[in-house]
Amino acid sequence: MSPAARPLLIEQGASYAGILGIGAYRPARVVPNSEIVDAIDSSDEWIQQRSGIKTRHIADDSETVVSMSVAAARDALAAARVDARQVDCVVVATVSHLLQTPSAATAIAHELGTDQAAAFDISAACAGFCHGIALASDLVRGGSARHVVVIGVERLSDITSPTDRGTAFIFADGAGAAVVGPSDTPAIGPVVWGSDGEQYDLIRQREDWRDAIAAEAPEIPHLVMRGNEVFRWAAFSMAKVAQQALDRAGLTVDDLDCFVPHQANNRITDAMARAMKLPSTVRIARDIIDAGNTSAASVPLALERMIRDGDAKSGDVALLIAFGAGLAYAAQVVTIP
Amino acid sequence: MSTEEIRAALADIVNEVAGVDADDVQLDKSFVDDLDVDSLSMVEVVVEAEEKFGVTIPDDEVKNLKTVGDAVAYIERAQAA
């Protein structure tokens, strides 16, 4: 060590972080089951019984990953009363930004009017938003950022086959956003997260781009899913992860006001609630009925809906859990802003 | 456990998961055709049964369990193994 070496200066972050505001963007076009069923030889009744879904929003050409994200983020900033210039990091969770590089996040940060905020995308599929909230909380507490915009956004209609009976009725489009910043009290609990790469193939893009292009009739590679195996994993393993997130925050199901699981399938939500023995007083997110499964966007969309409908009130304790391709999962307890 | 004890315990699970009257869950009944238990409910029944009977029922095996009797026989064999 040189005699002149001095210890590095480090940043001190906020003692606690919290979600300061939630925002959403739902594409204008609403597609009922009746428009889906012919291509998959199914019925409205079957889809509702298997998933709970009645309608979903599908983006048009003008509703891009970037434009939907900007709209949702502006909504979240307004709710949080935070100016875009105060945002110093933008984290975007998505699997349907079809430009490999640059990330969607830098364009979004620019359009929002941030002052050259750090910006990057993360790939954790349906679990992406809860990964983003965990990162944002640590960035704020670690001093790397003061206000982080976390966005979950998808245009799954671009990568879903309309003739695939296992996915065509499930996947949909939309964007949700949260502003994470300093809080006077602990408002984002410890994350419980992980992965199970042994089940890498349960939900995936069917083939990589090179194989897709080499095909006789090239098309965008679609998502494929082994539904019953996903159901078993999600309904039961994820109930245990959700319970761990409560334990880590020092709470029990009796302390919960709201349960906001990834809107994968209403049947998964029902099975999780049963496995966790949630009291009937806990309000459970059911945005999937009108919004379908929007992967990374589903948790913030469901949260926004509960706040707007009065099912989640300021100060309420909500358990978030998201899970999907990878397999990857993340859960944490948060306080509703 | 006797066959009847396994059937009765399984009937309770099917009742809890799918709302089927436990008395209807008899050995000759088909889960799908007679009891209206669809494949997602069947996954739930299987996971609950694994816990209750201390056995493992892999996904590949579930499609072979067409009747209540099939499931009871599988559980008996798995418990004996």
Side-chain angles (χ1 to χ4, degrees), chain A residues 85-134:
Chain A
R85 284 164 299 188
Q86 295 172 264
V87 173
D88 42 18
C89 186
V90 175
V91 179
V92 177
T94 185
V95 295
S96 47
H97 172 57
L98 296 183
L99 194 67
Q100 203 115 31
T101 195
S103 71
T106 59
I108 293 163
H110 175 68
E111 279 199 36
L112 280 176
T114 69
D115 183 16
Q116 302 191 331
F120 54 92
D121 296 355
I122 57 174
S123 178
C126 301
F129 181 78
C130 289
H131 278 69
I133 292 294

Side-chain angles (χ1 to χ4, degrees), chain A residues 49-51 227-229 231-232 235-236 240 265 267 270-271 274, chain B residues 16-17 38-41 43-44 46-48 50 57-59 62:
Chain A
Q49 193 235 332
R50 299 285 292 188
S51 68
N228 282 5
E229 288 159 79
F231 182 83
R232 183 177 182 135
F236 295 95
K240 295 190 179 94
N265 184 320
R267 298 280 293 275
D270 289 339
R274 206 159 38 226
Chain B
E16 191 192 325
V17 168
D38 69 17
S39 67
L40 294 185
S41 291
V43 173
E44 287 190 69
V46 161
V47 174
E48 300 278 342
E50 285 183 335
I57 310 174
D59 284 311
V62 175

